[in-house]
Amino acid sequence: MTSLLRLRTSRVRHGFRHGFRTPPRPRRRTALLAVAALTGGLFLSAQQPAAAGPNLIKNPGFETAGTGGDGMPYCWERSGWGDNDFTFDTVADAHTGTKALKVELTRRVDGDRKALITESAACAPAVSAGKQYDLSLWYKSTTPDVSVTLFRHDTTAGWQYWTDLKTLDLSATYQRAEVRTPEIPPGTDRITWGASVYGTGSVTTDDYVMEEVALPPVGPTCTGTTAECADGRWEILPTDNPVRSMHSVVLKNGKVLLIAGSGNNTDNFEAGTFTSAVYDPAAGTYRVIPTPDDMFCSGHVQLADGRVLVMSGNKGYPSADGTIGYQGLKDSYLFDPDTETYTRTNDLNDGHWYPSATVMGNGDVLSFGGLREDSSGSVTAERWSAAQNQWLPLWQVNQTWSYWGLYPSMILMQDGRLFYSGSHVFGNGTPGTGSAIYDYDTNTVTDIPGLRNKDERDQSASVLLPPAQDQRVLTIGGGNIDSNPEANRLTDLIDLKAPSPQYVAGPPLPQGTVDLGAGPQPQTGGQGKMYGSAVLLPDGKVLETGGALHNRANPVYESSLFDPVTNTYDPVAPDPEARGYHSSAFLLPDGRVMTTGDNPGNGTWNHAVSLYTPPYLLKGPRPEITSLIDTEWLYGDTQRITVDRPIAKAELIRPAAVTHSSDPNQRFVDLPLSVDGNNVDLNVTSNPNLAPPGWYMLFAVDANGIPSVAKWVHLGGPPALAAKAADPAHASAHVHDFAGDLAKPAKKPQKKRTSAPVSKQIAGCDRHYGSANVCVPTVFPDTVRATTKARCDWLAANEYGRLKVNGKDDPLRLDPDRDGVACGKGDVRSARS
């Protein structure tokens, strides 16, 4: 069959198309696939599945011929996409009986081909929400690029791709492979599945089985108060954080790197006092680390080997009169968790105060945005080469000359492109719709529609929802320090599996209390928050916590759990400490959440540290991973663990590297199970874009959502990826055709330029008053009248203290008596006269 003949139907299933179709626009993928290791636990031919009832597959051995004229057996259909040559044949080379089904790719540029159970009520097995099913088949293959792929029928949205479950190894003889589905989500009444071939070669399959899993019922037992078991509990640690840290990185050994630099304190900057600390959760102790540069508002990301790449930082604070703004460093460092020391790398090509940092599927890092050494906006994209262990020179990095703003949230998609969610820091969003997809390989930017109030997403939080395979992003809250409105309650959701994805409105954020100067009071109307944090939890939910109503003022006390399955928020106990600007929240390996920091506009700092115990840790004993055969994992691997009792799921969670509500590398990667009693084989994705190489926390979770303590495992890495890439015939992961028909036109690079103009007051602070670490807002909240007295009353209520006037200008009219001190007694009298 020639490449011009493609299977076709009018039905589009989130990028998977049957039938003849126009080949997709060429797009070179960046995904690389590691060598799949043969392991003893991969095929469980002797296991006894925990199953009840008969085989739910009709015509499981292909013995009954179909009547459709395409040669496919009864209740089986062809599927696939992309530019490839393929055949589907019913063959006599059977495992049992007289027939088997062979799918072969003889030429491939991209895409896959797969035989699936027919998507019909007559053929597709019925399923029940909340249940799990064991799937098995016998197969042999001439390519390692084969995956068991699962679709589901949503009673509202119809048929759609669900997930890849398992990568099958090369096998010259018939082998049995088994894998368990995740829990069936609400609204799903049927599933279909089969073997996808995504590399040149063939797979022959036979004797499909699908059985419902009969998990033993285990009732949760509350081990706290009734309120704690519903909402969790917070505690304040007895020892304060010794540094003014605004960057938090959970290290591969379970410790936490807390980076302060000068800590937004000009005295520290002038004295050259730059600090970091390493916190040991097991011992409850801190170790202050010599820090070579002002890493205040730098970027950071964890590399494949567990070192932390820290880029840019603060070269200089704004001048007293506001004519010079913040300045970004070109400096870059590596932090080694083993020695707890920093070492210098080569410099970036440009300064980047507040840069993004996204790790790619091959271990490289892309960085955008921030402020240059002269306080203008950087339009220079930077690329860290994992192979060369350095920043690449400018001429080796694709450039669009776009200004992405400060800390733009750039999330790696499953095909290697980047999704800019619209979350950023300071002021308005970027021009256009506020969110976009950036394709590094074609060097194009495509606007994505639907994000509401794009210019009020300043210090909103965006997160790739669990599991990463679902490719859904949630954006939470936000404000605007330029106009300083009340922060909003908006949450928006986007499904990047759609052919042309766009944001849709999510449920509004729950409301808590807000301190407007007279103590916490219930939020009203549309009051939400900016400066919030979003943390992926091992039960598959997202904790959102912390925040404030205005620019560095008015803390909001509210926390909730977002459930990606139901798209709902469940309010839980709030952090008792204020957590606004420069705060962080992150998951620890024991399943608790740690929060630090708060830096109000008056320049003070909250050194108290909070720990949140989620409700899942108060429901009874935790499952335990009693053995882990190997901590070095490869893509497409199957890795065996032993647990002390049945589990419902397992996942890898990438440890946090968070600052300013932003951690674009945070992700939760599902590990489909193959279960043999207490021995569980975990099936690792073949796609490094879903789980970039590095260290991960491995959690096992029971049917009540109670997680184990995490084990640390190391996934892939540049050597493994390079080994796979050396074989061109098998150099691609199973990348799906998602977001392949974008409605908006792709934009080519802008005209080459040096920088983008940026206001010297980009931080929303009027530098005519106080020191550089004090933020008198350029625009006061709407509730504050534009009078000297009202503004001075607001500053007093927020404990600003004595404010010196810098220079002769008084743009906010805080010094009418012109004595050089804002909001003195004479100023209020002068304003009244």
Side-chain angles (χ1 to χ4, degrees):
M1 187 174 293
T2 70
S3 61
L4 297 178
L5 298 179
R6 305 276 186 261
L7 295 168
R8 181 168 194 152
T9 185
S10 61
R11 179 164 57 236
V12 176
R13 299 179 310 185
H14 288 259
F16 285 79
R17 295 165 174 81
H18 302 287
F20 306 103
R21 64 165 290 193
T22 302
R25 293 187 299 275
R27 184 190 305 129
R28 181 168 60 86
R29 309 294 184 180
T30 57
L32 296 173
L33 180 60
V35 177
L38 289 169
T39 64
L42 180 55
F43 305 111
L44 305 176
S45 57
Q47 79 175 39
Q48 298 298 315
N55 183 8
L56 301 176
I57 305 293
K58 292 184 179 180
N59 198 20
F62 313 114
E63 300 299 319
T64 304
T67 59
D70 59 359
M72 292 296 287
Y74 169 67
C75 274
W76 291 87
E77 65 181 5
R78 303 181 181 193
S79 183
W81 71 280
D83 183 2
N84 47 68
D85 295 337
F86 56 89
T87 58
F88 289 79
D89 294 302
T90 303
V91 297
D93 184 14
H95 172 250
T96 64
T98 61
K99 296 179 181 178
L101 192 60
K102 181 178 181 180
V103 182
E104 183 170 16
L105 294 187
T106 55
R107 181 193 64 86
R108 177 186 181 274
V109 175
D110 60 10
D112 63 32
R113 296 294 152 178
K114 45 192 170 282
L116 297 176
I117 302 165
T118 303
E119 294 176 340
S120 69
C123 296
V127 293
S128 300
K131 296 287 188 179
Q132 291 180 276
Y133 296 83
D134 278 330
L135 316 179
S136 67
L137 60 95
W138 288 83
Y139 82 96
K140 56 183 181 179
S141 66
T142 63
T143 172
D145 296 332
V146 181
S147 178
V148 176
T149 301
L150 178 63
F151 292 78
R152 68 183 186 91
H153 182 258
D154 186 279
T155 54
T156 300
W159 283 102
Q160 52 194 266
Y161 167 80
W162 187 1
T163 190
D164 283 356
L165 290 172
K166 183 182 187 72
T167 302
L168 305 182
D169 265 338
L170 283 163
S171 181
T173 60
Y174 270 106
Q175 297 278 358
R176 181 172 180 266
E178 181 171 1
V179 66
R180 182 165 293 180
T181 71
E183 290 185 358
I184 304 297
T188 300
D189 61 353
R190 295 183 182 276
I191 64 172
T192 180
W193 56 283
S196 298
V197 183
Y198 54 93
T200 54
S202 67
V203 63
T204 304
T205 59
D206 199 2
D207 295 335
Y208 283 66
V209 176
M210 174 175 164
E211 300 169 303
E212 181 179 319
V213 175
L215 288 175
V218 179
T221 302
C222 179
T223 59
T225 67
T226 301
E228 289 173 341
C229 291
D231 299 332
R233 66 171 176 239
W234 291 88
E235 60 183 299
I236 309 301
L237 292 184
T239 304
D240 284 349
N241 181 353
V243 301
R244 294 166 58 108
S245 62
M246 60 205 68
H247 308 275
S248 303
V249 184
V250 178
L251 304 171
K252 66 177 184 178
N253 52 20
K255 297 180 181 180
V256 183
L257 173 64
L258 301 165
I259 304 174
S262 64
N264 196 20
N265 185 301
T266 51
D267 292 340
N268 291 342
F269 181 80
E270 292 167 1
T273 304
F274 309 132
T275 57
S276 304
V278 172
Y279 173 66
D280 184 347
T285 56
Y286 296 86
R287 179 173 179 259
V288 177
I289 301 298
T291 304
D293 224 331
D294 191 4
M295 296 173 181
F296 159 54
C297 295
S298 61
H300 40 72
V301 66
Q302 299 190 59
L303 300 179
D305 60 7
R307 292 177 301 167
V308 180
L309 177 63
V310 184
M311 64 210 69
S312 192
N314 179 42
K315 183 179 180 181
Y317 282 83
S319 60
D321 60 2
T323 58
I324 300 174
Y326 285 102
Q327 305 122 59
L329 290 167
K330 292 184 178 181
D331 301 4
S332 170
Y333 293 86
L334 288 167
F335 179 82
D336 187 333
D338 296 328
T339 61
E340 297 185 348
T341 57
Y342 291 98
T343 57
R344 185 81 177 259
T345 75
N346 67 319
D347 286 350
L348 297 150
N349 294 292
D350 202 1
H352 295 274
W353 188 72
Y354 279 64
S356 73
T358 305
V359 64
M360 308 299 287
N362 67 346
D364 285 6
V365 175
L366 288 180
S367 179
F368 305 87
L371 298 185
R372 304 176 72 237
E373 292 179 305
D374 63 0
S375 302
S376 63
S378 177
V379 297
T380 302
E382 308 274 5
R383 183 160 192 152
W384 172 269
S385 168
Q388 300 179 42
N389 201 42
Q390 67 174 10
W391 293 103
L392 294 178
L394 188 63
W395 62 272
Q396 292 184 13
V397 184
N398 289 346
Q399 300 292 334
T400 64
W401 310 112
S402 301
Y403 178 55
W404 291 98
L406 276 64
Y407 284 139
S409 176
M410 308 290 268
I411 297 171
L412 180 65
M413 296 168 59
Q414 62 91 37
D415 61 3
R417 292 178 290 173
L418 294 178
F419 174 59
Y420 168 55
S421 71
S423 290
H424 62 279
V425 172
F426 296 162
N428 294 342
T430 59
T433 59
S435 65
I437 287 177
Y438 173 57
D439 189 328
Y440 180 85
D441 293 334
T442 63
N443 204 31
T444 55
V445 178
T446 306
D447 286 340
I448 299 298
L451 182 67
R452 295 176 294 166
N453 292 27
K454 78 177 186 70
D455 289 334
E456 293 186 15
R457 296 302 185 150
D458 177 355
Q459 289 181 98
S460 59
S462 291
V463 64
L464 183 66
L465 289 170
Q469 286 91 333
D470 281 359
Q471 293 287 281
R472 297 174 69 227
V473 174
L474 171 70
T475 299
I476 302 171
N480 187 315
I481 53 91
D482 288 342
S483 55
N484 210 6
E486 291 184 337
N488 63 68
R489 299 178 65 191
L490 300 178
T491 69
D492 291 277
L493 291 158
I494 190 167
D495 184 352
L496 297 172
K497 299 190 305 298
S500 183
Q502 64 179 27
Y503 270 109
V504 297
L509 270 175
Q511 291 178 306
T513 61
V514 58
D515 190 345
L516 296 172
Q521 301 293 324
Q523 288 186 288
T524 60
Q527 291 178 338
K529 60 184 179 180
M530 58 195 300
Y531 308 125
S533 293
V535 182
L536 301 181
L537 301 180
D539 65 349
K541 296 179 181 178
V542 180
L543 173 70
E544 62 82 15
T545 186
L549 190 63
H550 289 109
N551 177 18
R552 297 182 64 176
N554 308 131
V556 171
Y557 300 90
E558 183 275 332
S559 302
S560 66
L561 297 174
F562 180 79
D563 187 340
V565 176
T566 60
N567 290 339
T568 56
Y569 288 97
D570 177 20
V572 295
D575 190 337
E577 294 288 334
R579 301 292 180 203
Y581 187 58
H582 287 158
S583 65
S584 296
F586 45 90
L587 179 70
L588 296 175
D590 65 5
R592 295 182 298 173
V593 174
M594 181 171 167
T595 64
T596 68
D598 180 52
N599 186 196
N602 60 24
T604 59
W605 192 276
N606 184 358
H607 286 270
V609 177
S610 304
L611 274 183
Y612 178 61
T613 299
Y616 55 59
L617 294 182
L618 300 167
K619 292 183 177 180
R622 307 177 67 166
E624 181 183 353
I625 300 174
T626 56
S627 73
L628 174 63
I629 292 177
D630 193 358
T631 59
E632 290 292 331
W633 292 15
L634 298 177
Y635 295 100
D637 245 351
T638 298
Q639 288 286 345
R640 173 161 288 189
I641 64 171
T642 303
V643 292
D644 65 342
R645 55 191 172 90
I647 61 171
K649 63 182 176 183
E651 74 272 346
L652 299 177
I653 296 183
R654 192 171 183 91
V658 60
T659 186
H660 292 77
S661 304
S662 179
D663 185 0
N665 300 290
Q666 187 180 193
R667 56 188 55 214
F668 173 120
V669 183
D670 183 49
L671 299 169
L673 313 179
S674 301
V675 181
D676 181 13
N678 285 354
N679 294 320
V680 180
D681 284 356
L682 307 177
N683 297 282
V684 185
T685 179
S686 69
N687 188 348
N689 292 323
L690 289 175
W695 286 89
Y696 286 81
M697 293 180 284
L698 166 65
F699 289 96
V701 184
D702 73 11
N704 291 314
I706 305 173
S708 67
V709 173
K711 299 284 189 182
W712 286 96
V713 299
H714 184 245
L715 177 59
L721 297 175
K724 185 61 180 179
D727 182 359
H730 303 119
S732 63
H734 195 194
V735 174
H736 295 290
D737 187 22
F738 299 158
D741 297 303
L742 303 179
K744 299 284 186 179
K747 295 183 289 188
K748 295 294 184 180
Q750 300 181 34
K751 184 178 179 180
K752 184 177 180 180
R753 54 180 176 160
T754 302
S755 63
V758 172
S759 167
K760 298 299 187 291
Q761 295 183 342
I762 189 174
C765 308
D766 196 316
R767 300 300 177 188
H768 291 91
Y769 312 96
S771 62
N773 62 305
V774 170
C775 180
V776 174
T778 54
V779 176
F780 281 75
D782 292 340
T783 54
V784 180
R785 296 176 60 198
T787 66
T788 300
K789 181 179 186 308
R791 288 171 172 170
C792 288
D793 286 348
W794 186 90
L795 291 169
N798 286 276
E799 301 179 346
Y800 273 75
R802 187 177 186 274
L803 293 171
K804 178 185 175 182
V805 180
N806 302 311
K808 297 180 180 180
D809 293 332
D810 182 19
L812 298 177
R813 291 184 294 138
L814 302 181
D815 186 27
D817 68 1
R818 297 186 177 278
D819 67 351
V821 178
C823 295
K825 292 181 180 180
D827 296 319
V828 176
R829 286 196 299 269
S830 298
R832 287 173 176 171
S833 60

